[in-house]
Amino acid sequence: MRSNKTVQKKFRIDTNTDKVFQRILAAKKESMQSVIESMLKDYIYNNLKIVIENNKQ
């Protein structure tokens, strides 16, 4: 399910975490976008029960 809609969210991370994250991204040749999308999909999948229960109400 692809959508052309773009949603922007802001979050804060400390400088040390950002530096390590950037090093990992560079070493793996991945984009931040792909990593964040993957993490978000995993989080939603792991909490799908909540989504299903809320839709029943």
Side-chain angles (χ1 to χ4, degrees), residues 47-57:
N47 291 285
L48 201 54
K49 183 178 180 182
I50 295 169
V51 175
I52 293 169
E53 288 174 357
N54 286 343
N55 283 340
K56 288 181 180 179
Q57 296 175 355

Side-chain angles (χ1 to χ4, degrees), residues 12-25 32:
R12 294 182 194 155
I13 57 175
D14 63 76
T15 54
N16 291 331
T17 303
D18 184 48
K19 287 178 186 177
V20 171
F21 187 44
Q22 295 302 327
R23 287 178 62 189
I24 294 169
L25 290 174
M32 183 183 295

Side-chain angles (χ1 to χ4, degrees), residues 29-49:
K29 297 180 177 147
E30 292 182 323
S31 70
M32 183 183 295
Q33 181 73 29
S34 67
V35 172
I36 299 298
E37 283 179 0
S38 177
M39 288 170 46
L40 183 58
K41 287 176 186 175
D42 287 344
Y43 186 78
I44 291 170
Y45 178 75
N46 290 334
N47 291 285
L48 201 54
K49 183 178 180 182

Side-chain angles (χ1 to χ4, degrees), residues 3-19:
S3 174
N4 291 334
K5 184 177 179 181
T6 300
V7 176
Q8 295 183 3
K9 299 287 183 187
K10 291 183 180 183
F11 65 97
R12 294 182 194 155
I13 57 175
D14 63 76
T15 54
N16 291 331
T17 303
D18 184 48
K19 287 178 186 177

